[in-house]
Amino acid sequence: MTKIKKAVTKFFQTIAATFKANYTKASYWAQIIGSVLVIGLAVATVFFNDRIDTNMVLLIITGVGSLLAFWGVITDNSILEDTGNTIKTKANTLASAEQVVVEALSEAQAKIEVASSAAASQAEAQASQAVVAAYSQAASAAAVGDTVTASSAATLASSLAANLDSNAQSVTETTSESASQAG
């Protein structure tokens, strides 16, 4: 536990030292604000399904830069003014970075969906095997004249099959809803 505490303490000390050394530099603030913009826009695009194209990203980044520069002029804050101007100047670079982040997040999201789908397929296969096993047990019991066991196994198999059909229907509806929302 003390190793973790020391690592966290060192981490925050490093951040504090970096802040103290750079808080008067416009490029430092431009980097922080640019990163927050890029990450925020990428997350909005991927996870909230907001359709933000490159032109909109450029408009947002340039707008934020302009507002910062304007506020810097009004308040006579040269750091804020320089930060806004730097962000406006680097708008194309930031928009490209946002696109790279969106592509990486989209790829990761697709891989997660594929893994989830594979897990669902495996669960469905196991459920199908359980249905087959229950019907097989019912048939075996019926063959030897054990009607109580045969009836019980047949009821279980029927219930499992109905549950499997219900789950398959639910997955189909969810998939079609997702496809219609994506389009």
Side-chain angles (χ1 to χ4, degrees):
M1 190 74 139
T2 44
K3 276 187 170 183
I4 294 173
K5 188 176 180 181
K6 285 180 182 179
V8 170
T9 302
K10 184 176 180 176
F11 174 73
F12 283 115
Q13 287 172 343
T14 303
I15 290 175
T18 302
F19 177 78
K20 189 175 181 180
N22 295 304
Y23 77 95
T24 59
K25 298 177 184 173
S27 61
Y28 174 74
W29 291 106
Q31 180 69 35
I32 289 174
I33 294 168
S35 297
V36 169
L37 280 170
V38 165
I39 292 168
L41 290 169
V43 167
T45 300
V46 174
F47 293 110
F48 299 117
N49 291 325
D50 285 345
R51 300 289 178 214
I52 304 175
D53 64 357
T54 304
N55 291 332
M56 180 64 86
V57 171
L58 280 170
L59 180 66
I60 291 169
I61 292 171
T62 304
V64 169
S66 296
L67 285 172
L68 288 173
F70 179 70
W71 192 254
V73 168
I74 289 176
T75 60
D76 196 29
N77 184 334
S78 62
I79 295 171
L80 198 54
E81 184 179 354
D82 291 344
T83 301
N85 289 330
T86 301
I87 289 173
K88 288 190 307 184
T89 303
K90 294 184 176 187
N92 285 329
T93 305
L94 291 172
S96 297
E98 186 269 347
Q99 195 58 39
V100 169
V101 173
V102 164
E103 289 170 6
L105 287 173
S106 295
E107 186 177 324
Q109 191 177 34
K111 287 179 181 180
I112 289 169
E113 287 174 6
V114 166
S116 296
S117 177
S121 295
Q122 184 178 8
E124 187 177 328
Q126 289 172 343
S128 295
Q129 290 172 350
V131 171
V132 169
Y135 276 126
S136 176
Q137 182 182 7
S140 297
V144 296
D146 185 356
T147 56
V148 173
T149 302
S151 175
S152 176
T155 302
L156 174 63
S158 177
S159 174
L160 288 172
N163 191 22
L164 184 61
D165 288 341
S166 173
N167 288 343
Q169 179 66 28
S170 165
V171 168
T172 302
E173 289 172 1
T174 303
T175 303
S176 65
E177 286 176 12
S178 297
S180 67
Q181 288 175 355

